[in-house]
């Protein structure tokens, strides 16, 4: 395909492409306010011009300087390709190895306007989850990948392609790091400065590792969370007529509406920005939309009474919605909400991740760039109002949990009443969903396994869905009851997944599975590629939000209580171990989900091409990828993880894990410390 060949030609310099600027037909990232000094502006400009020969500096310097001052970052809009950005079938990419073509496919999927939040700013989701820092980096990466052999590895430094380096056929084809700054300099302010300088980047989780699959990537986990919240808080599997209120319909949070309906409840999701709300409605993820609180309350009552599953998008601020639900309770004594949470991007609270009441989206975008300090004050006041309404509804019987988006952390920093009396460093008035719901699932080894059919053919996806379902049904016949419940949920999911039209961009699927399930599904799909039942290779990956991939004290490791919740050995070891056990590419990030400086996370991609070598890699890498995290959770004292790793050792004689001896008599500690 000539367009893709042109895209792989590197930087177009003779002549330079026309500078079309920003496309008014797509959403754009908020203006950044890095507050650079004059010398730092000069350095940012010098850094950007490094990508181009001096003969073009006079032309490019002025427009790059204008971008820096107008948008707070040099995106190099001139070099944004005119080609339609999407996941093309793998055979269309002009490459010397299919491993490189698979990465090109995944990168272009991340930047597909149907998938990406701010495609021209190379932001996939979360408001600032970058694939690259600028368009020169994108073009250089595509050229390197088109030239790569199976004895080279592409090295990526926070969006910058350091280059192709000699390696072994067994080595990863790409090593990606994002935001790996010295810990003492990992502050929000330093991030804004370093990103503006073009020397570091926030890769979120699956944006900077090229493995995002659209909002589907969190649908299954959200459905499991809502189902298990019903079991834990409401004592029932039947969520018909139950109301779940939350916020956020951009990026990953866009999954909430679909997940609520699949779980059978009434999902009401507030979104201040009309563009993502309309996008989700057009894609069929949101069933109804209203900007009227009166209509919102009316539809909640109707759906509760009829016990009809519903996803209702409220175009407005979630604080207004919570306060109106509280007013209804105070007026009538009727509690219209059973379950509540929040998925605004509060890892990025002052640059578009959270829109405060009472400002409109447009007013907020203007204030955050013209008066950042005033905007921060308004955000914090909004968070205090937000929590005040939630606290009162919670006291009335509504169950609320933190969704790991730094909501309670930022609310606490704003002075809201979220502290837990006697709680530890990672505990608040409300639990995180990991502490009460997903943590035990992780400790059993279950997490968000994913695959992408590189043919782009929906029939291939249907075949892989059926393969996965049959594999899980076979395994489920011989597991403990505790594990069987998870298998039942996941079999139900994969059997119905195709009915819910969740594909946005690449032909991809997410399926929570444990270690045995992941290995068996991967091997079965690889065999299907080998014998032609699946027409082209399949990329497997996972969300970094998983058993082993992430060390995050306010989310993934918030239920680790041995004092190691703030340690990041697990994620780093996971990244390294995946690399030498066969991953096609690996990634390690600072930040992701709860924000820069708050988390270290790692991910991978692995190409299943039907070969025996691919099967060998999948078996070795996937076993490690799960067992690493289960062993760490076991050592921290988690009973589920202890039982899971014990069973895994019985099945694999080469696995030997250091097991903890629990203190059985607390008086031993009392006497020792008193004496």
């Amino acid at each position: 395909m000539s367009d893709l060949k042109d895209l792989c030609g590197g930087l177009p310099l003779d002549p330079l492409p026309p500078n079309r600027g920003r496309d008014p037909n797509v959403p754009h990232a908020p203006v950044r306010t890095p507050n650079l000094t004059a010398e730092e502006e000069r350095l940012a400009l010098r850094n950007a011009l490094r990508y181009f020969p001096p003969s073009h500096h006079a032309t490019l310097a002025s427009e790059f300087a204008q971008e820096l001052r107008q948008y707070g970052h040099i995106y190099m809009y001139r070099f944004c390709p005119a080609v339609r950005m999407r996941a093309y079938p793998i055979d269309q990419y002009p490459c010397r190895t299919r491993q490189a073509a698979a990465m090109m496919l995944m990168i272009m999927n991340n930047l597909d306007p149907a998938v990406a939040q701010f495609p021209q700013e190379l932001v996939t989701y979360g408001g600032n989850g970058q694939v690259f820092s600028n368009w020169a980096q994108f073009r250089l990466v595509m050229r390197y990948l088109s030239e790569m052999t199976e004895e080279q590895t592409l090295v990526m430094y926070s969006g910058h392609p350091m280059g192709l380096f000699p390696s072994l056929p067994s080595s990863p084809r790409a090593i990606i790091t994002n935001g790996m700054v010295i810990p003492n300099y990992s502050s929000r302010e330093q991030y804004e400065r370093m990103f503006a300088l073009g020397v570091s980047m926030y890769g979120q989780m699956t944006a900077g590792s090229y493995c995002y699959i659209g909002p589907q990537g969190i649908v299954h986990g959200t459905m499991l969370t809502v189902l298990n919240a019903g079991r834990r808080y409401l004592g029932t599997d039947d969520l018909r007529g139950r109301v779940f209120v939350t916020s956020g319909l951009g990026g990953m949070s866009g999954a909430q509406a679909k997940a609520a309906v699949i779980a059978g409840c009434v999902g009401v999701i507030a979104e201040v920005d009309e563009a993502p709300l309309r996008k989700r409605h057009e894609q069929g993820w949101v069933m109804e939309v209203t900007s009227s609180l009166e209509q919102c309350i009316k539809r909640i009552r109707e759906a509760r009474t009829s016990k009809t599953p519903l996803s209702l998008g409220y175009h407005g601020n979630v604080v207004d919605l919570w306060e109106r639900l509280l007013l209804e309770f105070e007026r009538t004594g009727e509690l219209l909400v059973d379950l509540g949470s929040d998925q605004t991007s509060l890892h990025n609270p002052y640059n578009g991740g959270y829109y405060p009441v009472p400002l409109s989206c447009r007013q907020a975008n203007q204030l955050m760039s013209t008066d950042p300090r005033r905007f921060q004050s308004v955000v914090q006041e909004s968070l205090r109002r937000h929590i005040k309404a939630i606290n009162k509804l919670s006291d009335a019987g509504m169950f609320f949990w933190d969704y790991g988006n730094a909501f309670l952390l930022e609310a606490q920093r704003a002075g809201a009443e979220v502290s837990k009396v006697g709680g530890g460093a990672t505990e608040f008035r409300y639990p995180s969903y990991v502490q009460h719901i997903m943590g035990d699932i992780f400790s059993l080894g279950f997490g968000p396994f994913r695959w992408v059919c590189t043919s782009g053919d929906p029939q291939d996806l249907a075949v892989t869905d059926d393969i996965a379902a049959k594999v899980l049904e076979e395994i489920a016949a011989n597991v403990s009851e505790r594990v069987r419940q998870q298998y039942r949920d996941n079999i139900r999911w994969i059997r119905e997944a195709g009915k819910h039209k969740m594909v946005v961009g690449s032909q991809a699927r997410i399926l929570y599975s444990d270690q045995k399930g992941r290995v068996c599904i991967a091997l079965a799909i690889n065999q299907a590629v080998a014998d032609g039942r699946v027409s082209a290779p399949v990329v497997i990956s996972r969300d970094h939000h998983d058993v082993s991939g992430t060390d995050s004290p306010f989310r993934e490791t918030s239920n680790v209580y041995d004092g190691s919740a703030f340690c990041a050995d697990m994620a780093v070891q996971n990244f390294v171990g995946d690399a030498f056990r066969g991953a096609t590419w690996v990634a390690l990030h600072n930040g992701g989900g709860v924000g820069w400086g708050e988390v270290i996370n790692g991910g991978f991609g692995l190409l299943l091409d039907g070969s025996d070598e691919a099967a060998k890699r999948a078996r070795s890498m996937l076993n490690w990828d799960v067992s690493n995290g289960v062993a760490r959770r076991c050592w921290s004292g988690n009973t589920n993880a202890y039982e899971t790793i014990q069973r895994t050792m019985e099945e694999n004689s080469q696995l030997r894990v250091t097991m903890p001896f629990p203190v059985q008599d607390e008086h031993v500690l009392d006497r020792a410390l008193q004496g």
Side-chain angles (χ1 to χ4, degrees):
M1 186 176 182
S2 60
D3 285 345
L4 291 179
K5 286 182 180 178
D6 291 343
L7 202 60
C8 296
L11 288 167
L13 301 175
D14 188 20
L16 290 172
N19 186 2
R20 298 184 302 274
R22 282 188 164 194
D23 181 352
N25 298 312
V26 297
H28 290 282
V31 173
R32 296 180 179 278
T33 53
N35 297 317
L36 299 183
T37 65
E39 274 306 305
E40 287 170 338
E41 284 188 337
R42 191 178 185 87
L43 182 57
L45 196 54
R46 186 191 307 277
N47 288 345
L49 291 172
R50 288 183 292 188
Y51 289 101
F52 307 94
S55 58
H56 293 296
H57 286 185
T59 301
L60 297 176
S62 58
E63 69 185 56
F64 288 173
Q66 182 181 355
E67 285 185 19
L68 181 62
R69 289 174 173 167
Q70 187 172 355
Y71 305 121
H73 188 73
I74 300 171
Y75 295 105
M76 306 184 186
Y77 290 113
R78 178 189 288 270
F79 297 96
C80 180
V83 64
R84 166 78 167 89
M85 198 71 68
R86 68 178 180 87
Y88 292 87
I90 192 170
D91 290 338
Q92 293 186 18
Y93 291 94
C95 292
R96 300 169 72 179
T97 166
R98 277 186 159 183
Q99 295 181 58
M103 280 187 275
M104 296 170 90
L105 180 154
M106 300 292 280
I107 287 168
M108 292 190 72
N109 184 67
N110 267 23
L111 294 171
D112 183 339
V115 175
Q117 187 177 10
F118 305 125
Q120 278 205 299
E121 288 74 49
L122 302 114
V123 172
T124 299
Y125 68 98
N128 61 348
Q130 305 283 149
V131 186
F132 302 106
S133 181
N134 59 57
W135 285 104
Q137 293 174 348
F138 167 82
R139 286 183 176 272
L140 285 175
V141 166
M142 295 299 279
R143 176 159 190 172
Y144 279 136
L145 290 173
S146 71
E147 297 172 344
M148 174 190 285
T149 72
E150 293 191 2
E151 292 186 342
Q152 290 174 303
T153 292
L154 176 62
V155 176
M156 298 294 302
Y157 278 28
S158 290
H160 169 66
M162 190 60 71
L164 290 174
F165 291 79
S167 61
L168 300 172
S170 59
S171 303
R173 297 281 69 82
I175 301 286
I176 305 160
T177 54
N178 287 306
M180 291 290 110
V181 303
I182 305 302
N184 280 354
Y185 301 89
S186 191
S187 67
R188 203 172 272 153
E189 294 74 20
Q190 289 282 10
Y191 162 69
E192 292 295 341
R193 173 181 165 275
M194 286 187 283
F195 182 62
L197 290 175
V199 297
S200 197
M201 188 182 86
Y202 185 77
Q204 256 286 354
M205 288 191 158
T206 51
S209 63
Y210 320 147
C211 288
Y212 188 64
I213 60 169
Q216 181 190 174
I218 200 173
V219 173
H220 190 190
T222 307
M223 183 204 76
L224 289 176
T225 302
V226 174
L227 278 178
N228 284 290
R231 290 166 183 155
R232 181 174 185 118
Y233 300 132
L234 306 177
T236 180
D237 279 307
D238 185 0
L239 295 183
R240 290 175 299 172
R242 301 290 194 160
V243 178
F244 170 47
V245 172
T246 181
S247 59
L249 281 168
M252 286 223 170
S253 62
Q256 296 180 106
K258 180 73 76 172
V261 170
I262 296 172
C265 66
V266 178
V268 185
I269 304 94
E271 173 57 63
V272 293
D273 189 347
E274 188 174 13
L277 177 59
R278 295 295 173 193
K279 184 176 179 179
R280 296 297 173 229
H281 188 233
E282 290 166 5
Q283 290 172 341
W285 288 64
V286 176
M287 295 163 68
E288 297 179 18
V289 171
T290 181
S291 57
S292 164
L293 281 171
E294 294 295 332
Q295 176 67 7
C296 199
I297 297 300
K298 177 175 179 286
R299 290 298 290 128
I300 289 173
R301 283 199 167 100
E302 290 172 350
R304 283 182 82 218
T305 301
S306 65
K307 295 189 175 183
T308 305
L310 172 68
S311 55
L312 176 63
Y314 167 60
H315 182 211
N317 198 293
V318 71
V319 179
D320 289 328
L321 177 58
W322 281 119
E323 290 178 342
R324 180 55 189 272
L325 289 165
L326 176 60
L327 181 63
E328 290 295 318
F329 174 72
E330 291 173 341
R331 283 177 175 172
T332 68
E334 185 180 14
L335 185 62
L336 293 175
V337 53
D338 301 282
L339 301 170
S341 192
D342 184 271
Q343 271 204 31
T344 49
S345 295
L346 266 157
H347 70 278
N348 182 34
Y350 308 126
N351 201 39
Y354 180 89
Y355 284 86
V357 71
L359 301 180
S360 69
C361 200
R362 182 186 60 79
Q363 291 170 330
N365 283 333
Q366 184 175 18
L367 186 62
M368 75 176 71
S369 62
T370 59
D371 192 347
R373 288 192 177 183
R374 172 62 184 150
F375 182 73
Q376 180 172 339
S377 176
V378 176
V379 165
Q380 292 182 329
E381 172 58 29
S382 182
L383 281 167
R384 290 192 289 271
R385 279 178 60 179
H386 201 152
I387 289 294
K388 186 176 180 181
I390 286 169
N391 285 351
K392 289 183 177 180
L393 288 165
S394 176
D395 290 342
M398 183 264 293
F399 294 94
F400 186 89
W401 69 87
D402 181 274
Y403 224 134
N405 58 333
F407 175 63
L408 294 182
L409 181 63
E410 288 300 330
Q412 183 183 62
R413 290 169 176 168
E417 296 180 10
V418 295
S419 296
K420 179 180 179 180
V421 177
T426 62
E427 295 177 288
F428 298 95
R429 173 172 179 159
Y430 304 104
S432 82
Y433 74 123
V434 172
Q435 288 169 327
H436 268 195
I437 300 168
M438 297 303 292
D440 280 346
I441 292 175
F442 286 162
S443 294
L444 291 170
F446 286 85
F449 183 58
R450 300 174 176 183
W451 62 89
V452 175
C453 297
T454 67
S455 65
D457 186 347
Q459 180 57 33
D460 277 350
L461 185 60
V463 171
T464 58
D465 282 349
D466 188 56
I467 288 170
K470 288 176 178 175
V471 166
L472 294 188
E473 286 166 350
E474 183 176 334
I475 298 173
N478 299 294
V479 296
S480 68
E481 183 54 38
R482 182 182 296 177
V483 175
R484 187 171 291 116
Q485 175 65 65
Q486 298 304 319
Y487 269 88
R488 281 197 292 264
D489 287 346
N490 295 317
I491 291 166
R492 168 186 166 186
W493 161 266
I494 196 65
R495 282 296 185 196
E496 297 181 3
K499 303 174 186 176
H500 294 284
K501 299 180 180 178
M502 292 178 292
V503 169
V504 176
S506 60
Q507 292 293 320
R509 186 67 73 221
I510 183 169
L511 170 63
Y512 269 64
S513 186
D514 62 357
Q515 181 171 325
K516 180 179 286 187
R518 298 186 207 200
V519 172
C520 291
I521 290 169
L523 295 177
I525 289 176
N526 190 60
Q527 183 58 47
V529 174
D531 61 27
R533 285 177 291 138
V534 174
S535 67
V538 172
V539 172
I540 60 171
S541 69
R542 55 158 168 75
D543 195 344
H544 301 199
H545 167 63
D546 194 13
V547 181
S548 301
T550 298
D551 285 297
S552 177
F554 298 103
R555 195 163 79 174
E556 284 81 0
T557 48
S558 61
N559 67 331
V560 170
Y561 300 115
D562 67 348
S564 70
F566 292 86
C567 301
D569 301 83
M570 178 176 71
V572 175
Q573 289 281 4
N574 191 254
F575 162 81
V576 174
D578 284 353
F580 67 72
R581 286 179 175 86
T584 306
W585 70 93
V586 289
L588 186 70
H589 307 326
N590 170 16
V594 296
W596 180 271
E598 304 286 359
V599 50
I600 299 293
N601 66 85
F604 74 86
L606 174 61
L607 186 68
L608 301 176
D609 60 6
S611 66
D612 291 342
E613 175 65 19
K616 181 181 176 181
R617 288 170 178 246
R619 186 181 289 106
S620 176
M621 197 210 69
L622 290 174
N623 277 311
W624 154 258
D625 194 65
V626 177
S627 279
N628 172 45
V630 178
R632 188 267 178 99
R633 293 167 193 278
C634 164
W635 186 245
S636 76
N638 186 285
T639 302
N640 282 346
Y642 187 100
E643 294 173 359
T644 301
I645 205 69
Q646 187 83 15
R647 186 173 62 252
T648 307
M649 283 194 289
E650 291 169 1
E651 295 172 354
N652 185 346
S653 62
Q654 289 186 299
L655 177 65
R656 303 294 296 159
V657 172
T658 305
M659 305 295 280
F661 292 101
V663 173
Q664 296 179 340
D665 182 0
E666 291 291 321
H667 295 302
V668 170
L669 305 183
D670 296 335
R671 289 194 294 270
L673 293 171
Q674 290 167 4

